[in-house]
Amino acid sequence: MHISELNNSISTLPGIGSAKQALFARLNIFTISDLLQFYPRDYEDRTQKSTVAQSMQNQTGKVHTIVQIVGHEWFGYGKMKTLKMIASDGTGIVELVAFNRPFMEKTHPVGQIAALTAKCEIKYGKYQSTSFELEKIADGGELSAFTGIEVPNSKVFPIYPLTEGLTNKILSKTIQTAFKQFSLGLENDLPPQIIEKRHLLSKKDAIRQIHFPKTLSEAIGARNTLVFEELFLFQKTLAERAIAHRGKLPRIEVDTTEDTQKQVSEEEFAKNLSTRQKNLLARLPYKLTPDQMSVIALMNEDIDRNYGFSKDSQSLSPENRFSMRTLLQGDVGSGKTLVSFFAALRVIDYGGQVALMAPTELLARQHAENAAKQLEAVSVSVAYLTGNIKTKGRDNLLSALKKGDINLVIGTHALFSKNVQYHDLALAIIDEQHRFGVMQRSAILDKGRTSVVATDKYAQPPFREPNLLMMSATPIPQTLALTVFGDLDVRTIHTMPQGRKPVTTYLSKAGNERNAYEAVRKELAAGHQAYFVYPAIDASTSLSTLDEGTSTPLSARSLKSAEEMFSFLQTQVYPNYKCALIHSKIDEETQNQILQDFRENKIQVLVATTVVEVGVDVPNATCMVIEQADRFGLAALHQLRGRVGRGSSQSYCFLIYRSNITENGIARMKALHETTDGFKIAEEDLRLRGPGEITGTAQSGDLEFKIANLARDEKIMKEARIEAFSCVRTI
């Protein structure tokens, strides 16, 4: 029997009544399978003796030795009266403070010889411990007679995540009982040839050694086996999903740090474009970068296959018409949106419709304006749809969309609203994909599966699946590219448009803002523009804000607000320049007018919240000042910095952080200061935040591994992917 099939309730184990069952439920342990796969988070190695002197000398704080209780002392009064036991192992003295354990006076009297395991620290000039275990060896005698014997309980102890009412001892004992009762017929989840090839443990041995290791090396070996198994099964599922949706396996390796995509010549690229694509290329005032051409060519091949044509234009049977599934990543300003327009034109030339979904109305409007400028000239009907479109205009738009009169619709979540119907939605483009959840991505694809033409023309399976293009301006770490996006083709734009210069980033502690203000003044005098970004809109919005990594509410004055600082900057710092304020509480029409004035340099200083994080492209803006920058996430900081450096002039970013900055905040500031490389920043973001927030899959369960850790197990994950894909190929 496989471990996943052990669905017996833990109540079948002796000693597990309803009260303990409720405690285990807090840890999501309901069945024997859950229990056996509830793995230790760490281990305490007691196989090596550690005397008091060694502990103090090595500054480990860990003592595991044989001691004699040489004295009892009491301190405090009444209910606060506490026992302190003085213990000696012959090399030093340690004081054992027994809070709420007065019974130890009798269980461990003066003169007793006992095995001591303790975590110690120097307090009031004495070596002390409040976290210790004592196990009686003898009632008394000379300590020297016992110093040569092995310390009892000298083994590796697993340490589990716990909840109030459940101790490590109870949990370990319960797991031991379950293992003895159910492990006899435990089958392997890995193929035998892989176990042999990779020198892995059997499932039974791996479970035994992860919970009851004799040595730390045994625990490590068991963990490596279980990590490999978990990632193998995950990668196998991704491979099978890729075969089902796309008819082929994605690349085994996804190198997100180097340019590994096949480059195409300008002549070859232009020759294989569709009519509208050729027209757009001819209208561009600049050349596409090599990476842009490479990605467009690859996506064209995928879209052609979706419509039934192979790379050499041969017709494909319906069962071989698979959809494009692509994650397009590239740093801020690398030209991803233009690439997505080329993909849209390919689909439109086949007669299909395209929906481009953005997370904010501001970004959606920006895309719609760009699309109108670039695509309407090549005979593309573009529409803009958000939840704020008024009823009459909305009804007309929806009617045109259903009839197929609209080629490209750009908007927010409204694109997959219940009353939105498409004529033939053949491509869904999702910008800033990490801001959308898995279910939202699925919802827009469902609109393509149920669109009018798809329903009529492909009534019988296999019907044509909509194509999917997801875009990310914060590059995806390679580990994530191979896991949650492992069934997609990951395409990368590494090259930046010619003339761009890296943004110079400065760090400044709160109190030294004037230096940044003066640097900005010089840029304004040279005719350039600047952004000032703040974590709150006004004083009231900061009341419910929590400081990063804590549960302590900040006071209203703890955060600088955009409204307060706008007044200060306009009247006291830059009175000779036009300043404007923009945030999410300002209506959309006013926001758009402010941004238009900023683009036209009618406004020189734009004071904002993160509403300008994406979708704002002003090449003349050369300064980004982010105050209380440690309040922002790493991805947001990288995106905000990407608002400058979009022209040919040198640009600057000033990160002003608070004096009470957290360690996590320091790490973010350091990462931004040291590099503008989005790939390196993405790796650091994964380390600091974990995968769920980066990928938008936190609510999907895709990354809820029982034992694998994506930030730590990249090497094992790559090996597991190779073996999993090999197995799927041979099926």
Side-chain angles (χ1 to χ4, degrees), residues 355-360 364-365 383-386 409-415 436:
L356 194 165
M357 187 165 69
T360 66
R365 172 68 69 121
Y384 172 63
L385 176 62
T386 70
V409 60
I410 299 172
T412 56
H413 302 73
L415 294 178
F436 292 96

Side-chain angles (χ1 to χ4, degrees), residues 22 93 197 199 218 276 330 411 447 458 465 611 623 684 722:
I93 299 290
K197 177 183 177 181
H199 307 291
E218 267 198 4
R276 284 183 174 86
K447 289 292 182 181
Y458 301 95
E465 277 274 315
V611 71
C623 291
E684 180 67 5
I722 291 171

Side-chain angles (χ1 to χ4, degrees), residues 9-24 29-30 32 35 166 170-171 173-175 177:
S9 170
I10 60 169
S11 63
T12 59
L13 297 173
I16 306 297
S18 58
K20 276 191 180 174
Q21 213 175 336
L23 293 177
F24 277 97
I29 299 174
F30 303 95
I32 301 300
L35 182 64
L166 269 184
I170 291 173
L171 194 54
K173 186 177 179 181
T174 306
I175 292 173
T177 301

Side-chain angles (χ1 to χ4, degrees), residues 152-224:
N153 279 330
S154 291
K155 59 182 182 180
V156 177
F157 282 81
I159 301 172
Y160 296 92
L162 299 172
T163 185
E164 187 177 357
L166 269 184
T167 65
N168 216 63
K169 189 174 182 179
I170 291 173
L171 194 54
S172 185
K173 186 177 179 181
T174 306
I175 292 173
Q176 190 171 36
T177 301
F179 183 78
K180 287 179 180 178
Q181 189 172 333
F182 291 95
S183 66
L184 185 62
L186 208 54
E187 296 180 36
N188 295 323
D189 289 314
L190 288 171
Q193 66 272 21
I194 292 179
I195 292 176
E196 182 178 355
K197 177 183 177 181
R198 296 284 177 178
H199 307 291
L200 302 173
L201 300 170
S202 68
K203 187 59 176 263
K204 181 179 178 180
D205 286 343
I207 293 294
R208 177 177 55 80
Q209 292 182 23
I210 198 77
H211 290 297
F212 320 111
K214 294 179 180 177
T215 63
L216 274 180
S217 61
E218 267 198 4
I220 293 169
R223 183 191 177 278
N224 288 343

